[in-house]
Amino acid sequence: MKKNNKIILISIILILSVTAAIFVGCVKPAEHPENTTLDFDGLGSTPTEAAIAKSVAFDKSKIKLSDEMTEDKEVLDSIEYMLRTSNQNLIDCDFFAAAAYGTGEASINNGTIVGGMDTREVRVFDNGEYYFDSYGLIVKGYTVNEDGSHGSVPDNILGMLGSFLNYTKRTYSPDGQTFYTAKNGDSNQQSIVNFPSQNAITYKKPKSEKQSFDEYMKATNSRTSYKGFTTDNYDNDKPITAGLIRYDKENGVYYLECDINCSNNTLELSVADMASNGAIKHFEYAKKHLTIEFWECGLIRSYINENVWKANMILGLSGSSDNYYEQKFTYDKSKLDNLLISQDLKNALVK
């Protein structure tokens, strides 16, 4: 392998090893090459009567609406109230299923080297049973020349990148107390295309790691429960810096956008997760923007997380990434097809 190719390989591995820890992407969904959609299995559909009955509905007297992004404290307090309430409702509900995807690019040393990754995720909680499936694949890599043109990264290097950074992880818990996790399944570009099929990833000889509740919580950097949609810390001064809330009365849906404070410890668990990467000397978020839909019953409908991070790494390297992650929820088990996890997959994980 030529010396310059080795330098490219090391550099891309460093930045993408950071990127692989999160769902990445600056490419919006409509631009995604696989035309990814989350319109299946009742995702985003009205919650069942049973789910509504168990959830805590939003108190409209605690919500101040705003059509535009604002720093009005009443609006920000309303957003925090909605985030806390809906996150707890998800933790308390008896059943939910969710699917998500991310896509985009990360750059190193002012964009001289760029790499991309696609990611997919499925989560299902069913009266104590929990299933989680997540995988990511390197989809492109290129160099940026002084004139702005793109240079190619040799296929053999991209193949090595894939062997380092492509990941799969499948977790199953029969009771919400003991967790079995398998990693390193077989995946390729077809896995992304086949999403959300439960057979998109195969584990020829699954070797499950058994963890207790506390061990799994620590491993996943969960704050209060592995079931929540957020681990952000809102127990500090001004966790939200700006936001808006709109209400669609006809459909009973609240639409929310907000900027999360990146300067205090609101994102402490996310930062700790990223900083655990051995290649990182310093990590910080430059932006985190949430776009969320909530049902008026207090349950979450959809969640979009866009964030920008910057990192200083070993060998004097620096990197950044602009990330996009979208997730949709359903509370109706009768609508499930692809997300209804087979007993064979559960049996394969419990050893």
Side-chain angles (χ1 to χ4, degrees), residues 76-77 80 83-84 232-242 258-267 288:
L76 302 188
D77 288 345
E80 183 181 338
L83 289 170
R84 287 177 180 272
D232 295 344
N233 176 19
Y234 301 114
D235 295 324
N236 56 71
D237 183 50
K238 202 175 183 179
I240 300 163
T241 58
C258 67
D259 292 323
I260 302 298
N261 195 334
C262 298
S263 300
N264 58 15
N265 66 337
T266 302
L267 301 175
K288 181 173 183 179

Side-chain angles (χ1 to χ4, degrees), residues 7-8 14 21 55 62 77 167 175 207 230-232 252 316:
I7 294 174
I8 291 173
L14 284 173
S55 65
K62 295 182 179 180
D77 288 345
Y167 70 90
D175 55 10
K207 295 181 179 179
T230 177
T231 60
D232 295 344

Side-chain angles (χ1 to χ4, degrees), residues 190-217:
Q190 196 61 36
S191 303
I192 294 292
V193 176
N194 289 342
F195 173 81
S197 169
Q198 59 185 279
N199 296 316
I201 301 296
T202 59
Y203 292 79
K204 292 182 178 179
K205 296 181 179 180
K207 295 181 179 179
S208 300
E209 175 188 0
K210 184 179 180 180
Q211 293 177 303
S212 67
F213 175 82
D214 290 338
E215 289 171 333
Y216 187 72
M217 288 284 288

